[in-house]
Amino acid sequence: MRPTYHRPPGLRGASPAPRAAVLLAGLAAFFSLPSAMPSAAAAATPPQTLVIEGTGNGHGVGMSQDGALGYARHGFTYQQILAHYYTGTTLGTASAKAVVKVLIGGRVKRVPIERYVRGVVAAEMPASWPAAALEAQAVASRTYALTDHAGGSRFDVYSDTRSQVYAGTAAETAATNAAVAATAGQIVTYAGRPAITYFFASSGGMTESVQDGFPGAEPEPWLVGVPDAYEGSDARWKLEIPFATAAKRLRGLYRGRFHGVEVIRRGASPRILTARVLGTAAASIVSGPALAGRLGLDSTWEYFYVRTGSALRAEPDHSGRARLFGPLTGSTPNPPPPPERSGGVAPTAGARPALSAGSGGGTAAGG
């Protein structure tokens, strides 16, 4: 999952079959009509649909871009926005001579840090957003460039959503360049060292701890799930997939006929950590990100239902977490209270463990 503002909104559906294939299938069905006639019992069975309701867009770890927009609109400074999303951090300074090695079209280009950040902010956030949101993005992008190490010693970052989107000087605007200039040299630090600053499009109401958002990642004290006060119902989405389509997308994760999905564990936010794909003969356990990838979902914060005809039932959920929204919840939760705006950046806290390089594929913008 690597959705950003540069990916079309909404969820991907199944690709339509080519017209020729549809015609051939129709002819085959016509000439084999006697053997293809369904039994009375099969004809009486209503079709089943996998219904998925979720929220958010992206992996959920670090700073939500939509959330930063909300905080900026409510008067928060970029320092307060960064302190909220990156727990226990403070601001430090990068070397003015720092150079970022960017992989562009198979070639590595060396770009001075401030010029690089100008090409990222303009590509990652709309220039019309409030200055505080753009400034928070500038600091997060500058820090991420210095901590990603996506290509080891060969290069630092990809120029796309595998790291963060870099569109070069052609993308620059007056507003985004002003945000970069206002924060020149500033980076996010934890215990005096640069702290990797993942970010993504939309949290849906709460961010996720890094070890839950990226399977196999080590916990990091500044990358813990926090409430997102100004995100909520606007980030929700819904997808209905015919069972036959879901069965194809999940092929290999069950045996027999596809029977549904049950949730086993959820993370610090209600994003799915593990789930079981059910078949009539056998089931298998899959991670939340892998499941979302197979089904074409924008987030791992989702709830599953099965519609049979006009009847709708919730799929089993063994996480012990209450469903916060959906067709069968009967209520809408109250949004979390906004944080206090007093002060600036949170003080440095605790000793910082070593960075876990490459956690979750190293994606900043998309998850």
Side-chain angles (χ1 to χ4, degrees):
M1 295 181 300
R2 299 187 181 97
T4 69
Y5 287 100
H6 315 286
R7 166 179 164 180
L11 297 167
R12 299 187 298 274
S15 300
R19 182 177 175 80
V22 173
L23 291 174
L24 289 172
L27 288 171
F30 176 79
F31 286 112
S32 60
L33 191 58
S35 60
M37 289 289 286
S39 66
T45 302
Q48 289 187 302
T49 302
L50 186 66
V51 180
I52 311 165
E53 289 207 338
T55 189
N57 190 344
H59 51 63
V61 178
M63 185 180 76
S64 163
Q65 292 169 312
D66 272 351
L69 170 64
Y71 283 114
R73 284 176 171 169
H74 284 79
F76 287 74
T77 65
Y78 75 89
Q79 296 98 327
Q80 291 166 334
I81 293 170
L82 294 167
H84 174 68
Y85 288 111
Y86 306 114
T87 301
T89 59
T90 188
L91 294 181
T93 304
S95 169
K97 298 181 180 180
V99 172
V100 182
K101 293 181 288 185
V102 190
L103 184 66
I104 305 173
R107 299 182 63 182
V108 177
K109 184 176 181 179
R110 296 174 62 87
V111 184
I113 183 67
E114 296 303 309
R115 188 199 308 167
Y116 169 79
V117 177
R118 291 196 296 270
V120 171
V121 177
E124 281 289 352
M125 270 191 180
S128 60
W129 282 15
L134 298 175
E135 290 161 356
Q137 182 68 61
V139 178
S141 292
R142 185 180 294 110
T143 311
Y144 190 83
L146 299 175
T147 55
D148 186 21
H149 309 309
S153 60
R154 181 171 173 241
F155 64 91
D156 300 316
V157 289
Y158 294 95
S159 60
D160 54 38
T161 55
R162 285 173 291 179
S163 292
Q164 54 188 356
V165 179
Y166 171 70
T169 57
E172 293 180 17
T173 71
T176 54
N177 284 354
V180 176
T183 63
Q186 295 182 36
I187 58 173
V188 176
T189 65
Y190 185 88
R193 297 179 59 188
I196 192 164
T197 47
Y198 293 112
F199 59 89
F200 59 99
S202 170
S203 76
M206 184 172 181
T207 68
E208 186 58 86
S209 297
V210 64
Q211 70 273 16
D212 292 340
F214 299 148
E218 292 295 322
E220 300 287 12
W222 67 94
L223 293 174
V224 295
V226 295
D228 224 347
Y230 302 112
E231 283 206 45
S233 59
D234 288 347
R236 291 180 194 165
W237 46 261
K238 180 179 179 181
L239 183 65
E240 298 198 18
I241 310 175
F243 253 42
T245 302
K248 290 179 181 178
R249 295 184 185 181
L250 298 172
R251 185 172 293 155
L253 298 178
Y254 64 92
R255 290 194 320 189
R257 289 182 294 106
F258 173 65
H259 191 57
V261 176
E262 64 180 21
V263 175
I264 300 173
R265 293 176 58 232
R266 295 184 182 270
S269 77
R271 289 172 174 81
I272 294 175
L273 300 187
T274 54
R276 184 176 287 109
V277 178
L278 306 174
T280 54
S284 64
I285 294 176
V286 63
S287 73
L291 178 63
R294 286 287 197 104
L295 291 174
L297 309 179
D298 280 342
S299 169
T300 55
W301 184 342
E302 64 237 353
Y303 303 104
F304 290 90
Y305 306 84
V306 171
R307 189 189 305 283
T308 304
S310 60
L312 185 69
R313 64 172 172 81
E315 286 288 78
D317 190 322
H318 306 294
S319 68
R321 306 287 292 276
R323 293 176 187 249
L324 298 185
F325 56 87
L328 303 180
T329 59
S331 63
T332 302
N334 294 322
E340 295 293 332
R341 283 193 290 164
S342 59
V345 184
T348 302
R352 179 187 178 279
L355 286 171
S356 50
S359 299
T363 56

